[in-house]
Amino acid sequence: MSRLRIGLIGAGSIGRIHASSVKSIEDAELSAIVDVRLERAKALAEEHGVNKVYKDYVEMLDREQPDAVIIATPNYLHAKMTIDALARGVHVFCEKPMAMNAEEAEKMLRARNKSGRILMLGMCQRFRNDSKAIRNLVLKGELGDVYFTKITLLRRAGIPGMGSWFTTKAFSGGGPLIDLGPHVLDLALWLQGFPKPVSAKGYTFSKLGTQNKCLGGWGIPEPGGPFDVEDLAVALIRLEGGGVMYLETSWALYTKEDTFNIILSGDKAGASLMPPCKFTETDGKWVETRIECQEVNVYLEEMKHFVECVKKNTSPDPLPEHGVMVMRLIDAIYRSANTGNEEKV
Ligand SMILES: NC(=O)c1ccc[n+]([C@@H]2O[C@H](COP(=O)([O-])OP(=O)(O)OC[C@H]3O[C@@H](n4cnc5c(N)ncnc54)[C@H](O)[C@@H]3O)[C@@H](O)[C@H]2O)c1
């Protein structure tokens, strides 16, 4: 196969990053850029020397017949665009969250199965060297039986695109739980070999966004638009095998500092992701071992992986099956926050 011809759908914040990644991959090229805001597609196309721009992704798919697409549009479009592309035999890299809910995600999986093409999700955090190092520790059994995982992704003032699709439930599906949750839930499960989530007890709050406070730098704000999603989500998740995960994730919260970490505790040792280290007790002494890891450009690494999977016809890691499990878990947390009950995943 010659260079992979990729169509980019969505020339917004993350679309721009993916465009740069594709540019630095020898085996791939951007063949067209699509955005309903044509001026965004045109500006990005000019920066990258792409001469095909479209407003309508279906027209792009039919006219350009790309080998693959990158879907970097608001969440409510992920399922439809993925299914339309797969139905035309086009490989898909789709941004997180996989979809608005598990039902949509399952339809995407069925479309993948029917097409035989590759569907990879943008789980860029898996491509960090520290993620890989901690996963190796767990899989080698160095932590023993992991029975508690603490997942923290707290932003104090990080509401993205206030008033835009990000803060409008009908377009986003929710707040930090569906926005940040897919990254850290996927990562926490992947680090320990993806045990199946069994049930969840969840809580959501919407306290600061409703006051137009704690706005962040990501996204394109649309002043005057709605904020009808949560700004904090907390959950306790039970896993097959008996383990428990505790999740806290916010876009807006009066707390001490922004925090991103996953701490895994097993019956032999524990490990944290940031900074990557292992801790245990030896002869009554606490031992903490730092693991040195080089930083990488995770967006470039994930795109290289996607291109390689398409070229070699190999299965991507992250698998869309994992994406479906994460969407089921997110659904259960939202359901639980509504009913007040522990909900089955
Ligand atoms: N992996 C990550 O780290 C990461 C980071 C940020 C965002 N994301 C995800 O990427 C997606 C996009 O986020 P963003 O921050 O780039 O948003 P954004 O609002 O900056 O960009 C979205 C773009 O999609 C365009 N668009 C909307 N409807 C369209 C349509 N029907 N056809 C073509 N284009 C259309 C918009 O005009 C906009 O330019 C979201 O699903 C988000 O969750 C992932």
Side-chain angles (χ1 to χ4, degrees), residues 91-164:
H91 302 282
V92 175
F93 174 95
C94 180
E95 259 310 336
K96 47 58 54 178
M98 184 169 181
M100 296 284 275
N101 49 51
E103 195 187 339
E104 283 189 0
E106 278 156 12
K107 283 185 189 158
M108 292 162 80
L109 195 57
R110 284 200 291 276
R112 192 284 312 260
N113 293 344
K114 199 170 162 197
S115 72
R117 293 298 189 263
I118 281 163
L119 169 57
M120 176 173 152
L121 305 176
M123 294 292 115
C124 57
Q125 299 297 328
R126 289 193 189 189
F127 291 82
R128 304 166 60 101
N129 279 333
D130 43 16
S131 302
K132 292 178 188 170
I134 299 300
R135 184 167 187 260
N136 280 341
L137 284 184
V138 180
L139 297 188
K140 279 195 293 184
E142 291 192 24
L143 307 192
D145 176 28
V146 175
Y147 56 92
F148 180 57
T149 307
K150 186 171 180 213
I151 309 164
T152 311
L153 181 40
L154 295 176
R155 291 190 186 149
R156 293 194 299 179
I159 296 179
M162 175 55 99
S164 72

Side-chain angles (χ1 to χ4, degrees), residues 157-161 214-219 221 251:
I159 296 179
C214 301
L215 311 189
W218 188 273
W251 277 348

